[in-house]
Amino acid sequence: MSRRWIQNPNRCADEYLDGIEDFIAFARAHNPGATRIRCPCRRCNNTLWETTENVQFHLVRNGMIETYSTWTYHGEQLDIGSSSRATGVENVEPIVDPNEQVMDILNDAFPFASTSSIQEGEDDVPTSMGSADFEEYEKLLQTANKELYPGCEKFSVLTAIVELMHGKIKYRMSNLCFDYFLGVFKRMLPTDNCLPKDHRQAQKVLNGLGLGYQKIHACKNNCMLFYKEYETLDTCPICNESRFKTTSQNRMTKIPQKVMRYLPLKPRLQRLYMSTHTATDMRWHKEKRVDDDVMRHPADGEAWKEFDRTFPEFAADSRNVRLGLATDGFNPYGVLNQHHSTWPIFVFPYNLPPWKCMKKEYMMMTVLITEDPGRSIDVYLRPLVDELKDLWTNGVRTTKGYMACPICKENVTSSWHAGKVCYLGHRRWLPWDHEWREKDKEFDGKKEHGLRPREWSGDEILEQSLTVWILLRSGKQ
């Protein structure tokens, strides 16, 4: 029985839902009388026991562990001979070099870097990187090319930091716990290793990748923000409260009464289009969604359709971004401080398909209010509203270095190799029965079953080449 459904990202697909039913039937048959079984969803990870009904729900919501193709925890016997033969054919995904993945991240963060020197002096191309950005890129590039210790071929300094920070976030490690293990790893490695000694140093290396935040002072009584025209004031013009707390005269730094954190939205939206993995998904709502009057996605709702009728120019371009906003307060201290309330404000890109748009990886926290805003939450929303207005009126340009092939266009297959973007997928032009289509190890580790891309006319290419950036607003290309 094929278990490729486990790898299917669309957990609403019939193949995936039928696969879950087959798994539940298999588990019941091999565990007769059991009221609970191990849950193989990505969150429970076969460590928690649940009823079969809850397991079925978890598998739809969280997805099954992608590597769990032999159900050993649910009664399946591991056949060493057959499994080893099958592994070579379909169960093992192509091995991805972690150093190449880090270079992909670096290239997504600095899309103009590889063409900065070529674009110098040209007027008909997007503006190249500024000197400050290029310095950050150079620092990160040096870290990405620097060995973790002399003779280490598998990990660069940047690759090691990214892998460790990923584990910290995935398994919810505290900074103190991370510092402890980082110190242990550093002592295990050769004495001349370049691993950072603590979380603070590791974070400094990654700061160059961007996506930071701004601290904005607020009035003690939630009257206003010390922002834009009020940025230089020391007292609130509405209630005359001081901007700063009363402290010792010997103290050199001033402590603000209230501080909010604002995380700019534009660079996060740009990242969705800079990455080849998400640029196509951002057009799913119009290009791949099935319109059959069944409510599966916000695009199937009447509010979405009414908006399209009201702003037809905006709706004409599937790349224009639709956003949802949500907030709620919570007490991170539990019963220790019953009066405290923290309010994060999240934005969701509804362009993405339903199995992605509500995943935590795509939830963008734009505002963090560390105290209860009371009835004045609109005061704290001002930076976000200003940025949304600017996006609607002026937009922001985004370059997709991975999508620049004039032949394949949105069907391009590309990746980062040897310091540049390489365009792959040439086997799509071969006849269907060509032997090279079935070979994987000789190429990129995948068999080729894709269709040949359509051929664009010269007029179409000329018309589309006039656009050098994507406007995230209503307007012409």
Side-chain angles (χ1 to χ4, degrees):
M1 179 177 59
S2 174
R3 292 176 182 172
R4 292 186 179 180
W5 59 270
I6 298 175
Q7 312 291 334
N8 192 338
N10 182 2
R11 296 199 287 274
C12 297
D14 291 339
E15 178 196 28
Y16 188 86
L17 298 176
D18 292 342
I20 292 178
E21 291 182 0
D22 292 339
F23 167 76
I24 296 297
F26 178 92
R28 285 173 174 166
H30 288 75
N31 299 271
T35 57
R36 292 177 179 269
I37 60 173
R38 290 180 185 266
C39 180
C41 79
R42 296 176 184 176
R43 179 165 295 183
C44 297
N45 200 29
N46 275 323
T47 60
L48 301 180
W49 296 74
E50 298 284 352
T51 63
T52 53
E53 290 78 11
N54 285 346
V55 169
Q56 192 168 6
F57 174 73
H58 283 197
L59 292 176
V60 175
R61 184 183 64 181
N62 305 324
M64 181 179 281
I65 305 168
E66 293 184 358
T67 56
Y68 191 53
S69 56
T70 304
W71 299 332
T72 53
Y73 288 106
H74 299 85
E76 185 171 7
Q77 299 297 320
L78 182 62
D79 186 346
I80 303 296
S82 62
S83 64
S84 62
R85 289 191 297 271
T87 297
V89 177
E90 61 175 315
N91 289 338
V92 172
E93 296 181 356
I95 298 175
V96 180
D97 186 353
N99 292 315
E100 287 191 10
Q101 289 182 318
V102 168
M103 289 304 299
D104 286 342
I105 296 173
L106 191 56
N107 186 56
D108 285 344
F110 299 94
F112 298 115
S114 60
T115 57
S116 183
S117 59
I118 299 175
Q119 293 175 352
E120 222 170 84
E122 298 182 11
D123 296 329
D124 57 345
V125 293
T127 306
S128 60
M129 293 175 65
S131 58
D133 289 337
F134 194 77
E135 286 180 7
E136 290 288 350
Y137 172 75
E138 286 290 318
K139 289 180 183 177
L140 287 167
L141 189 61
Q142 290 175 5
T143 312
N145 292 325
K146 187 176 182 180
E147 295 178 340
L148 183 59
Y149 56 85
C152 179
E153 298 179 356
K154 292 186 177 180
F155 286 93
S156 68
V157 177
L158 186 59
T159 303
I161 294 174
V162 170
E163 290 271 1
L164 290 170
M165 293 293 279
H166 174 71
K168 176 186 183 299
I169 295 171
K170 183 176 182 180
Y171 298 107
R172 302 173 185 175
M173 296 171 62
S174 67
N175 290 352
L176 288 175
C177 179
F178 184 78
D179 288 348
Y180 171 76
F181 282 108
L182 202 61
V184 172
F185 295 152
K186 191 170 180 66
R187 294 194 300 273
M188 289 178 177
L189 295 174
T191 55
D192 51 354
N193 71 80
C194 301
L195 192 69
K197 65 178 183 180
D198 55 26
H199 176 263
R200 183 183 293 273
Q201 283 194 357
Q203 191 64 48
K204 284 182 179 179
V205 175
L206 298 182
N207 281 342
L209 291 174
L211 301 185
Y213 64 90
Q214 304 169 4
K215 290 183 179 180
I216 302 176
H217 298 172
C219 172
K220 177 182 179 180
N221 298 320
N222 301 324
C223 301
M224 45 79 73
L225 298 177
F226 293 95
Y227 167 75
K228 285 192 174 181
E229 67 271 21
Y230 302 122
E231 188 174 1
T232 59
L233 299 182
D234 288 336
T235 58
C236 173
I238 299 175
C239 67
N240 294 323
E241 277 285 348
S242 173
R243 176 177 182 172
F244 303 100
K245 295 180 180 179
T246 304
T247 58
S248 169
Q249 293 183 354
N250 298 328
R251 189 179 181 92
M252 299 299 295
T253 58
K254 297 180 179 180
I255 302 176
Q257 299 271 16
K258 281 187 178 181
V259 180
M260 65 162 279
R261 274 79 174 174
Y262 180 67
L263 296 83
L265 183 61
K266 290 178 184 177
R268 287 164 170 77
L269 295 179
Q270 286 178 309
R271 294 292 169 91
L272 293 174
Y273 282 106
M274 289 178 185
S275 173
T276 183
H277 304 294
T278 53
T280 303
D281 286 336
M282 288 296 287
R283 305 191 303 273
W284 178 92
H285 66 99
K286 187 171 184 179
E287 298 178 1
K288 296 184 178 181
R289 179 178 60 89
V290 178
D291 190 3
D292 56 358
D293 294 331
V294 177
M295 187 69 180
R296 302 185 185 93
H297 186 269
D300 298 317
E302 188 58 33
W304 186 294
K305 296 175 182 178
E306 177 62 26
F307 184 89
D308 286 351
R309 290 190 289 266
T310 306
F311 302 99
E313 290 185 356
F314 182 94
D317 189 347
S318 60
R319 297 169 297 184
N320 288 329
V321 180
R322 319 292 184 105
L323 299 172
L325 185 144
T327 184
D328 197 1
F330 72 99
N331 184 353
Y333 303 109
V335 297
L336 298 179
N337 188 346
Q338 297 183 358
H339 300 288
H340 182 87
S341 181
T342 295
W343 288 71
I345 298 176
F346 293 94
V347 166
F348 307 85
Y350 282 149
N351 293 45
L352 296 170
W355 54 90
K356 285 188 176 181
C357 67
M358 299 303 291
K359 296 284 286 185
K360 64 180 180 181
E361 292 86 354
Y362 301 99
M363 296 181 184
M364 306 176 190
M365 185 170 69
T366 57
V367 177
L368 181 62
I369 309 170
T370 54
E371 295 186 29
D372 188 356
R375 298 181 180 180
S376 304
I377 194 170
D378 58 311
V379 171
Y380 294 89
L381 284 173
R382 184 185 171 187
L384 177 59
V385 171
D386 288 348
E387 190 171 16
L388 290 173
K389 285 182 177 179
D390 183 55
L391 285 170
W392 179 264
T393 306
N394 303 313
V396 60
R397 60 186 178 185
T398 304
T399 297
K400 307 189 294 298
Y402 290 101
M403 310 291 286
C405 177
I407 305 300
C408 299
K409 299 189 72 60
E410 66 269 10
N411 294 319
V412 68
T413 54
S414 56
S415 61
W416 182 261
H417 293 290
K420 59 185 177 182
V421 176
C422 298
Y423 299 95
L424 310 174
H426 306 94
R427 289 180 290 161
R428 289 180 293 174
W429 274 267
L430 294 174
W432 274 107
D433 56 350
H434 200 285
E435 60 178 350
W436 285 4
R437 279 183 171 267
E438 296 301 319
K439 293 185 177 181
D440 47 10
K441 294 181 180 179
E442 292 82 353
F443 294 94
D444 58 353
K446 300 178 182 178
K447 296 180 180 180
E448 181 57 75
H449 300 295
L451 297 174
R452 175 177 177 171
R454 61 163 287 197
E455 295 184 6
W456 298 79
S457 67
D459 291 338
E460 288 176 319
I461 294 176
L462 179 61
E463 180 182 357
Q464 296 183 26
S465 66
L466 296 176
T467 303
V468 294
W469 60 76
I470 298 171
L471 291 178
L472 301 178
R473 67 173 181 88
S474 172
K476 296 181 179 179
Q477 302 304 302

